[in-house]
Amino acid sequence: MLDEKSAAKGLTALAEYREKVKSGEIIPTKALNPEEKAKANPTSMKYAIRAKCWDCACGQKEEIKLCTITDCSLYNFRPYKMSGVVV
Ligand code: SF4
């Protein structure tokens, strides 16, 4: 259980965060598409792969999930694939 001082500190931090989001100083990661995330994190291999698949599938998650291009070098690393299902 939080004491009043900690709860007030948390609420203040949340209010500051929301103000920064509102002003555009902070862009929430969930608001970005995979290409934007890759640009924001240029050293992330995970985001690079997601961005490539996102571009290849014209932004359609379902197309990435159902991708049948097994000779693509990113095939085994693509996002949104169904685990345990061999395509
Ligand atoms: S794994 Fe499929 S969706 Fe991803 S880049 Fe290769 S062909 Fe495109």
Side-chain angles (χ1 to χ4, degrees), residues 12-87:
T12 302
L14 180 60
E16 287 173 4
Y17 172 77
R18 286 180 173 158
E19 277 303 312
K20 287 180 180 178
V21 169
K22 200 184 257 183
S23 71
E25 187 178 337
I26 292 176
I27 300 172
T29 311
K30 285 189 172 187
L32 302 175
N33 70 36
E35 288 178 334
E36 292 167 332
K37 285 182 185 176
K39 285 179 185 164
N41 300 282
T43 60
S44 168
M45 189 183 307
K46 178 180 82 174
Y47 286 140
I49 292 168
R50 287 181 177 189
K52 179 58 190 163
C53 288
W54 181 264
D55 180 46
C56 175
C58 299
Q60 303 296 311
K61 287 182 182 178
E62 198 64 21
E63 292 297 321
I64 299 170
K65 185 193 293 184
L66 300 174
C67 175
T68 57
I69 314 298
T70 56
D71 62 344
C72 174
S73 58
L74 299 180
Y75 182 80
N76 289 325
F77 306 101
R78 74 191 194 284
Y80 316 119
K81 64 184 176 189
M82 295 175 281
S83 60
V85 177
V86 178
V87 180

